[in-house]
Amino acid sequence: MKILSAVTESEVWDHWKAVENFSHDDFRSDIREPLPDDVNWHLAEIEPQDLDRLFIISSSDWTDISGGTFRVLDVASRLNLASEDENTLRIANDIKGKITFFQCGGDLDTKLIAVTNSTDSVITFIEGNRRSVVFAVNQMLVGQIIYIGISPQIKNYKWVVASFR
């Protein structure tokens, strides 16, 4: 991951609000509030060596579709596997719809939001998980500019547990 510049936390949250069309300031408090207090936010570029260390948020509904790894590339490779898991079916269908939309010329926001404990560690998306899989399927993750929050305390953040196993 190549750090490009520092940004403010409010820029990151404003972007998230715009992407998700949230009109209230307490949006996704379940994800934002448990973040460590010392997160420093940046714009960063995803590099080829990052692909194997990109993870989906550690939410149980992603367990089956990721094969228990929570890796973005694993989700991308498992989209068409047979499953009876309700969450897998819901997530896979939504991602496939986004893939079709994107491949037919639709526009998807590429500035995903992720966190890490250092620039050479695992990277976990906290916003844009499904879009990250769409970009992986289309081999477009490398070169994407994302927001990345860096904190040495991020390993204690509940939404990254699977990334650090």
Side-chain angles (χ1 to χ4, degrees), residues 4 11 23-24 37 59 79 90 111 129 136 139 154-155:
L4 303 174
E11 178 181 334
S23 58
H24 48 86
D37 293 333
S59 177
L79 281 178
R90 176 180 50 80
K111 204 178 286 178
N129 291 281
Q139 299 180 353
I154 211 69
K155 287 183 180 183

Side-chain angles (χ1 to χ4, degrees), residues 13-105:
W13 298 158
D14 287 346
H15 179 77
W16 193 345
K17 281 173 57 175
V19 168
E20 298 285 339
N21 293 315
F22 291 122
S23 58
H24 48 86
D25 285 334
D26 63 346
F27 71 98
R28 294 316 312 250
S29 58
D30 58 324
I31 295 173
R32 295 184 313 122
E33 285 179 9
L35 278 164
D37 293 333
D38 64 346
V39 176
N40 291 304
W41 290 98
H42 305 272
L43 282 177
E45 181 178 349
I46 297 175
E47 298 179 301
Q49 65 268 23
D50 299 325
L51 290 177
D52 286 332
R53 51 193 191 109
L54 296 175
F55 287 81
I56 298 298
I57 197 168
S58 298
S59 177
S60 61
D61 53 345
W62 288 88
T63 303
D64 182 65
I65 196 167
S66 73
T69 68
F70 292 85
R71 287 179 64 244
V72 172
L73 295 181
D74 291 340
V75 175
S77 71
R78 296 172 56 84
L79 281 178
N80 294 312
L81 291 181
S83 175
E84 293 182 14
D85 184 90
E86 179 180 306
N87 290 315
T88 294
L89 297 173
R90 176 180 50 80
I91 292 168
N93 286 334
D94 186 60
I95 292 171
K96 289 176 190 177
K98 284 178 175 24
I99 290 169
T100 301
F101 173 77
F102 186 69
Q103 290 177 342
C104 290

